[in-house]
Amino acid sequence: MSVSPSLLPLSVIVTRLRAAGCVFAEDEAQLLVSAARDSEHLAAMVERRVVGLPLEHVLGWAEFCGLRIAVDPGVFVPRRRTEFLVGRAAALAGPRAVVVDLCCGSGALGAAVVAGLDRAELHAADIDPAAVRCARRNVTAAGGQVYEGDLYEPLPGTLRGRVDVLLANVPYVPTEEIELLPAEARVHEARVALDGGTDGLDVLRRVTAAASLWLAPGGHLLFETSERQAPRAVETVARDGLIPQVVSSEELYATVVIGTRPAPWGVLQK
């Protein structure tokens, strides 16, 4: 149902959003109007945005890699910079790739990676029940499975040694820096999706420690980190038997570390 402009003029919405600090007030106003069922619903959405809820939580979805990803309240909103990680992962995955998305949140990364692959097998896991419920909407639509639990623990044992692409967009904000995050993240996203421990690498260390058990020979682990943390992340990857590589995008201000499980010479020649 379209919303009558006379009941809530677009200019009024833009003014309210701009006063609340929304940098892209005009674009956000258009999205809210297009998503509203009626004027009452529109007014409620505007109010939620004005008091600080992330736009994606207000709309119920986020645009990511050309997909519309369902995002429920409290669930980590996929960032545009993470599209760089997805692009690198998709480039490394071949036909029938086995893809696992750990700390999956909404499941956006896994869904986006397999969207352009031929007959990929997708599995995703998260420890947060709210994230798992949300991910099931996105990952199931992509033909995948979602599990609730801590990192590798809930994954089927049959995946050991078979994973071609392991996405692990782990939380990497140091605990003492959580309070410096924008309120949209700090207040409205689960802390478990943000807090990476004292140096921001606690969860990553647990991922890399077991990655070689799950990766296929020649398989790749990919995760996002900050430019400042990248050297220590590389040390962690190498210590756990993976071959590290750092790639970055100045445009998206993204830093991604790729850890590759060494493949026997015979496997490389196939």
Side-chain angles (χ1 to χ4, degrees):
M1 178 178 178
S2 60
V3 179
S4 172
S6 62
L7 295 179
L8 196 58
L10 186 65
S11 60
V12 172
I13 300 173
V14 170
T15 299
R16 292 205 63 198
L17 293 177
R18 188 176 290 126
C22 299
V23 177
F24 302 104
E26 292 83 358
D27 293 338
E28 291 194 12
Q30 292 285 0
L31 286 170
L32 292 170
V33 169
S34 66
R37 296 187 298 270
D38 51 41
S39 58
E40 184 176 347
H41 183 218
L42 176 58
M45 287 197 298
V46 171
E47 187 60 33
R48 293 176 68 205
R49 181 61 179 134
V50 165
V51 299
L53 269 73
L55 176 67
E56 295 82 1
H57 288 166
V58 175
L59 294 172
W61 56 270
E63 183 178 343
F64 184 73
C65 291
L67 303 176
R68 181 171 286 198
I69 299 293
V71 181
D72 295 334
V75 175
F76 185 84
V77 176
R79 278 32 170 187
R80 182 169 179 264
R81 66 172 176 269
T82 308
E83 294 184 355
F84 178 67
L85 184 154
V86 169
R88 300 300 302 219
L92 292 169
R96 300 178 182 272
V98 176
V99 178
V100 170
D101 186 359
L102 290 185
C103 302
C104 70
S106 66
L109 274 66
V113 167
V114 303
L117 300 180
D118 181 24
R119 289 174 287 181
E121 179 182 340
L122 174 61
H123 301 267
D126 201 289
I127 197 170
D128 180 10
V132 170
R133 288 192 297 271
C134 183
R136 285 193 171 126
R137 296 162 62 191
N138 297 309
V139 173
T140 301
Q145 298 289 325
V146 183
Y147 313 91
E148 181 179 335
D150 187 23
L151 298 180
Y152 302 101
E153 183 272 329
L155 296 177
T158 53
L159 289 175
R160 284 177 174 258
R162 293 184 52 235
V163 179
D164 298 301
V165 173
L166 175 59
L167 309 166
N169 208 25
V170 299
Y172 60 89
V173 180
T175 302
E176 65 179 13
E177 296 180 18
I178 294 290
E179 294 306 312
L180 303 178
L181 292 174
E184 288 187 6
R186 175 170 40 84
V187 176
H188 298 290
E189 294 178 334
R191 189 177 180 107
V192 70
L194 303 171
D195 194 340
T198 303
D199 64 354
L201 301 177
D202 282 0
V203 182
L204 173 64
R205 292 187 186 96
R206 295 177 56 217
V207 169
T208 62
S212 290
L213 298 175
W214 294 87
L215 286 172
H220 308 281
L221 163 68
L222 297 96
F223 60 89
E224 197 172 74
T225 189
S226 69
E227 186 177 4
R228 171 171 53 90
Q229 292 167 314
R232 296 188 67 180
V234 164
E235 291 176 4
T236 300
V237 168
R239 180 199 64 202
D240 289 324
L242 304 178
I243 301 171
Q245 177 188 6
V246 179
V247 292
S248 60
S249 167
E250 292 186 6
E251 177 188 357
L252 295 177
Y253 196 59
T255 300
V256 170
V257 177
I258 303 172
T260 303
R261 179 185 170 189
W265 178 252
V267 173
L268 290 173
Q269 293 300 301
K270 291 182 180 178

